[in-house]
Amino acid sequence: MARIAFILLCHKDPQAIVRQAEMLTASGDFIAIHFDARAKSEHFEMIQTALKDNPSVAFARRRIRCGWGEWSLVQATLHAIETALESFPRATHFYMLSGDCAPIKSASFAHAFLDAADVDYIESFDFFESDWIRTGMKQDRLIYRHFFNERTQSRWFYAAYNLQRRLRLTRAIPDDIQVQIGSQWWCLRRRTVEWVMDFTRTRRDVMRFFRTTWIPDETFFQTLVRHMVPETEIRSRTLTFLMFTAYGMPVAFYNDHYDLLLGQDYLFARKISPEALDLKQRLGTLYNNAGASFQISNEGRSLFTFLTARGREGRRFARRFWETESTLGRERELLIVVCKRWHVAKRFVDHIRKVTGLPAVEYLFNEENTALPDLGGIQRSLGKRARHRRALVRMLFEYYRADRLVVCMDPGDLDILQDFCRDRATTKLLEIQCAFSDAYLIGHARRVGLAGEQSPPETLARLLPTIRGDMIHESDRIRDAQFENHMILRERDGRDQRIRLIQRFLDISPEMAQEIADTHHLFAD
């Protein structure tokens, strides 16, 4: 059975560290602690005194002063690993933790999870090819030497950096390693950790290189593990659940996040707020509950994105400067079918196409795989389509050699609707308002990743009013925009009302409108 030696880097809250160590070792696991030398010595003494009689606790023999982005974080980890290897010969896995981490599964679940596959869990993506780094330095982290801390010694950090750039004092990456990058929160097998420690003693050139890279805790272990372990024995993921805001700050979890955390496909989570005492207590009790069962839904990140984005309406890419005065053409007519239940709009538009012969395109700004002709590459991604929306639709008019075009759009695309309705072309909107059953909303939540197949009913019950309200809000925003040619076809409308709306929207004969209105099972799921 798996026995875990936790490698704990911490620097504050000694009482919380004691509770964390007692909880993790109560189930038969071990912990090696490195307490930052910058912290108060009396705090370290408090931790040592409280845990001195626990044989499953060990302390790094050497404490160093740690700084964010520095080599010191890697060095502190290596000191703690060295202690753990010597002190805990029965440990099969080594798991990196911080003082802000907490388990979100039981110890028995964690042990069974690690026993299920003989692999290492560590995020490791190609440093240069991946998009793991979104902003800031990339290759300059490696090819220049960094001796100062950017946060605490920013003046010296940038002075040294700019001087090297001016003088072109770059350096080569060691020839036989391919630098990788990923989260510092890993879980490695004992054999892998022993290989890493042997490597640090034999490859002094690589150690010298990483000592002066910037933020090496995101590259050192990630690179070495890929260098020594077969790819088939690596799972490029972390077992610690963490999220970041749009501003690059870690999301903190509080007392009311208990159910959400348990549903994620991870063993631990960070950051747990220091104020979330009830959450920490419940998670601590859970960790030593061998009978606990878990329903994995894994919707945490998508749910967070959905809920935070609701408060940021109006965001959009600015139009390219050459598109400021672009137009679809005064003589053209764009007919937009707006509907949240996409299959209803597709069914409706397909019947329009068959009855009238008008060219029609389904959800071109929402579905990557929408059938589109080759328009020189502008159609290849949703991002390009949205940025060059007028150019895209203008090219569709030209491709179909038509002056009238039907397209489907989601009611959430208000900025796109506003853009087209301001155009010199004639734009008509037919909004199809459908009834939303709880079953449909649950299916929608699962399709977009807000819920999983195993999401508990209590979570879904809390989520449904939010989703329903969001859909109503989207429709209200369209009405508030007061578009000139905005028509609403409701699911509850009678047949005669549907015929009149369709005739007015498409400007066709009553007979053709009647045939479209009689579309078989239009609103069926």
Side-chain angles (χ1 to χ4, degrees), residues 357-382:
L358 289 173
V361 182
E362 303 167 351
Y363 291 99
L364 69 168
F365 298 112
N366 305 101
E367 289 188 307
E368 197 89 49
N369 60 351
T370 296
L372 289 171
D374 185 356
L375 302 174
I378 195 174
Q379 81 289 346
R380 287 179 185 165
S381 70
L382 290 177

Side-chain angles (χ1 to χ4, degrees), residues 6 9 30 32 84 88 119 188 205 210 216 229 245 252 259 275 315 332 368 371-372 417 437 464 480 507:
F6 293 102
L9 300 190
F30 314 99
F88 311 126
V119 296
L188 304 176
D205 59 324
F210 276 108
V229 178
T245 68
D259 291 330
E275 302 170 5
R315 293 180 305 161
R332 287 173 173 158
E368 197 89 49
L372 289 171
L417 294 174
S437 65
L464 290 185
D480 292 341
D507 193 18

Side-chain angles (χ1 to χ4, degrees), residues 153-205:
Q153 302 166 298
S154 60
R155 183 177 177 182
W156 288 104
F157 178 91
Y158 285 107
Y161 168 58
N162 290 327
L163 178 62
Q164 291 177 80
R165 290 185 63 189
R166 259 195 325 271
L167 298 178
R168 299 182 181 179
L169 298 176
T170 59
R171 59 174 175 176
I173 298 169
D175 291 335
D176 60 340
I177 66 171
Q178 184 176 359
V179 180
Q180 305 285 307
I181 191 166
S183 169
Q184 72 179 105
W185 311 109
W186 41 253
C187 178
L188 304 176
R189 296 167 295 177
R190 184 182 193 94
R191 182 189 66 181
T192 302
V193 169
E194 290 173 343
W195 283 348
V196 169
M197 297 306 293
D198 288 342
F199 188 95
T200 63
R201 290 186 282 268
T202 58
R203 290 297 304 271
R204 297 298 180 184
D205 59 324

Side-chain angles (χ1 to χ4, degrees), residues 134-149:
R134 299 297 178 87
T135 59
M137 284 186 186
K138 191 166 184 177
Q139 69 172 2
D140 288 4
R141 290 190 187 189
L142 308 178
I143 64 173
Y144 295 110
R145 296 169 176 82
H146 302 279
F147 304 101
F148 304 99
N149 188 293

